[in-house]
Amino acid sequence: MSKNLPEVVSNGSGFVNKIKRFFSVICRNDIAVSRTNEFFHMPILAFLIIALLTIKLSVPVILISLFCGVEYTIRGEDFPEPKKITFKP
């Protein structure tokens, strides 16, 4: 965990702590969409909300874009090395 953030003291169960950690990670980190240059980047939470609200459109678009060489890069303070999601060789 980052040393710059205050420690969360909780009396909840392990499940509650995992949910808090999940939301903390998706709020602190972002996702970048790029091919030869970056199209856009946004917080992971915003990306997930948009994808879920437009699920019938977003799922096919994301899958097709992966086959067309688009990269989805997850980066931020919780990822020392950016994680790339793509089908590019």
Side-chain angles (χ1 to χ4, degrees):
M1 183 156 293
S2 176
K3 295 177 183 177
N4 297 332
L5 297 173
E7 184 176 347
V8 176
V9 178
S10 85
N11 299 327
S13 67
F15 178 73
V16 172
N17 289 334
K18 287 181 183 180
I19 296 295
K20 286 180 185 177
R21 170 91 173 120
F22 172 74
F23 279 103
S24 176
V25 167
I26 64 173
C27 290
R28 281 195 310 246
N29 301 294
D30 67 333
I31 187 163
V33 180
S34 60
R35 189 167 182 190
T36 54
N37 56 358
E38 186 175 300
F39 296 127
F40 63 89
H41 69 272
M42 65 175 51
I44 296 173
L45 180 62
F47 185 81
L48 289 175
I49 289 171
I50 292 168
L52 290 173
L53 290 175
T54 61
I55 197 160
K56 288 184 179 183
L57 176 66
S58 64
V59 171
V61 167
I62 291 170
L63 289 175
I64 291 169
S65 69
L66 284 170
F67 286 107
C68 293
V70 174
E71 290 182 336
Y72 294 86
T73 307
I74 300 172
R75 59 189 183 196
E77 63 184 70
D78 292 312
F79 298 96
E81 190 171 314
K83 307 289 183 195
K84 291 188 179 189
I85 303 168
T86 186
F87 291 141
K88 283 194 328 190

